[in-house]
Amino acid sequence: MVGPDFPFPYDTFREHPAGIGAVPAAAHGTEVAVIGAGLSGVVVAYELLRMGLRPVVYEAEQVGGRMRSAAFDGHPGTVAELGAMRFPPSSTTLYGYVREAGLRTSPFPNPLAPATPETVIDLKGTTVRGRTLNELPAVFRRVARAWKATLEDGAGMSALRDAIRARDPQAIAALWDPLVRRHDDTAFYRFLVDSPHLCSFADRELFGQVGFGTGGWDTDFSNSILEVLRVVATAADEKHRGIDGGAQQLPLRLWSSAPAGTAHWPDGTSLAALHPGGLTRPAATAVRRTHPHHITVTDADGAIATYPAVVHTAPVWLLLNTIRTDESLFGPLHWSAIERTHYMGSSKVFVLVDRPFWRDADPATGRPVMGMTLTDRMPRGTYLLDGPLAGAGAPEDGPAAICLSYTWADDSLRLVPLGAVERMDLMLESLSAIYPHVDIRAHVVAPPLTISWEVERNFMGAFRANLPGHYRYQERLFTHFMQDGFGDGHRGVFLAGDDISWTAGWAEGAVQTALNAVWGVMHHLGGTCAAANPGPGDRFAALAPVRLPDVT
């Protein structure tokens, strides 16, 4: 996911033996506020600690953010991934932290993935199944070929992917920048309609409901096609793996573990050790400037502290409502970008079952009695999770988890008024029409778990998704860490998090923007990167995203 907009090699930068930078010794021990303890906030704090600074982390809920792994009531050690749950191998910077934290991963059972024993597709009352695309009816292969041809003709996808794999910035810019200029105003669905390969409504409908990768694409149809092209170009939708025992372990381990090679602090110093009781500060409720070069943060307990730099890693909408934010901290163009950020809603419903019964053979067909399911019914996507991904040991030992439903946008909004049991009942009723001879309910051994991210007070959505015409806003947010051209009143607050990144919804984007913000804080405090390992700000002029004019 060395993305086409800013092809900086974050993975090799982070792992370089020279380190990612240093601040002057006089700055060692300086407190820097970090708002939000999701993955991005924890990575920011972890790397600032490594530099010898003292991060002070504010968090409204729990360490992890949308990396939220919950155990079922009465079954400690089980896992329902309410947020992030699958990570592509192209997330190379993320996987560096996974290795550093000593975590293991396993293949995620996406549709038609090798780790998926069976994929079942139920559309318009007709059910088909297969282990590979070749086992499905011919129409699925035809639409898959049409999608590939659409990407090739409309975006030169093969050449772009080759340039990204080769990490050739000039070749990437030559291919990507014209796509940005041509398609910033193009919706995903318009891109499909304009393709000679997907000219029938029936083909576009099937593609929207099933997709090829993690599932259907239709909930993204109103979004900018650039969002989708980035996903495909960076292989973000391919060969996913889950973190054994739960994704939340990653931010939790970074919180409690001591980074190697720490400046200033004694060996063994962790983020938890720098916070009384090992706990974050309460939620930030106000951010304001109290001195030309300082920012003051008030927390939910009424405590007030002043810092030379603040990194905001929570969703940017919080700056508009739950955090009273001094308007002078950002310029008008950045406020416009914050206000126009568009978030996707998403809901999940999980149940715990006694064992992975779906692997039982149907006596009539010899095939598994149930499979990973894509449907136009209420569940939309049903994922079967056993072994390390369920936190429950080997598959034959159980228990196992089922993500009964994973929905987006309007499909998610339909569930908002319903409680967990109501949602479970609704999904089981829908699945019974697909699997009339499978009594899923008989295997359920714990109360269901559910979430709708759009009604979570401190998130208000699952992730940012740009609409057509939003490229300029995203470019402003992503490049905000480059502050040398700002007036004094706009310096010192840095934005990070996956909604600041070009690849929202993917943990890699959260990590990359965290490293941007770390560079920004380091530079703000007079620090530098080693000449042998220039940082994202040092290489910004050569790699900067294309800037579209406001007036043509």
Side-chain angles (χ1 to χ4, degrees), residues 101-239:
L103 296 170
R104 297 178 178 273
T105 64
S106 297
F108 189 86
N110 276 326
L112 301 176
T116 306
E118 187 91 322
T119 298
V120 176
I121 301 174
D122 171 77
L123 302 174
K124 300 178 181 178
T126 299
T127 302
V128 298
R129 57 173 63 206
R131 295 182 181 86
T132 66
L133 184 60
N134 287 333
E135 292 184 19
L136 298 178
V139 63
F140 292 92
R141 296 191 293 280
R142 178 169 57 78
V143 171
R145 289 194 299 270
W147 170 231
K148 185 175 181 179
T150 296
L151 289 169
E152 203 59 40
D153 292 354
M157 187 53 64
S158 293
L160 180 59
R161 287 176 63 119
D162 288 346
I164 289 173
R165 288 194 184 98
R167 303 198 176 194
D168 184 338
Q170 289 74 33
I172 293 170
L175 294 164
W176 179 250
D177 292 0
L179 291 176
V180 172
R181 295 186 179 97
R182 185 187 321 147
H183 287 304
D184 174 45
D185 296 323
T186 304
F188 184 11
Y189 191 72
R190 179 78 259 169
F191 186 77
L192 299 179
V193 170
D194 289 343
S195 167
H197 308 287
L198 286 164
C199 53
S200 80
F201 175 80
D203 284 357
R204 294 193 298 272
E205 182 183 41
L206 187 146
F207 170 73
Q209 292 171 333
V210 176
F212 296 91
T214 57
W217 280 102
D218 56 355
T219 50
D220 283 280
F221 276 175
S222 62
N223 294 332
S224 168
I225 183 57
L226 297 178
E227 297 283 84
V228 176
L229 295 180
R230 290 187 189 98
V231 168
V232 178
T234 60
D237 215 34
E238 301 176 15
K239 301 179 181 178

Side-chain angles (χ1 to χ4, degrees), residues 28-70:
H28 285 163
T30 299
E31 291 188 337
V32 176
V34 180
I35 298 176
L39 179 63
S40 187
V42 171
V43 167
V44 167
Y46 189 79
E47 296 297 352
L48 293 179
L49 167 62
R50 202 194 306 260
M51 283 186 181
L53 299 170
R54 187 186 188 107
V56 180
V57 181
Y58 294 80
E59 171 55 45
E61 297 186 16
Q62 56 184 295
V63 172
R66 276 173 288 134
M67 277 188 160
R68 185 181 296 182
S69 306

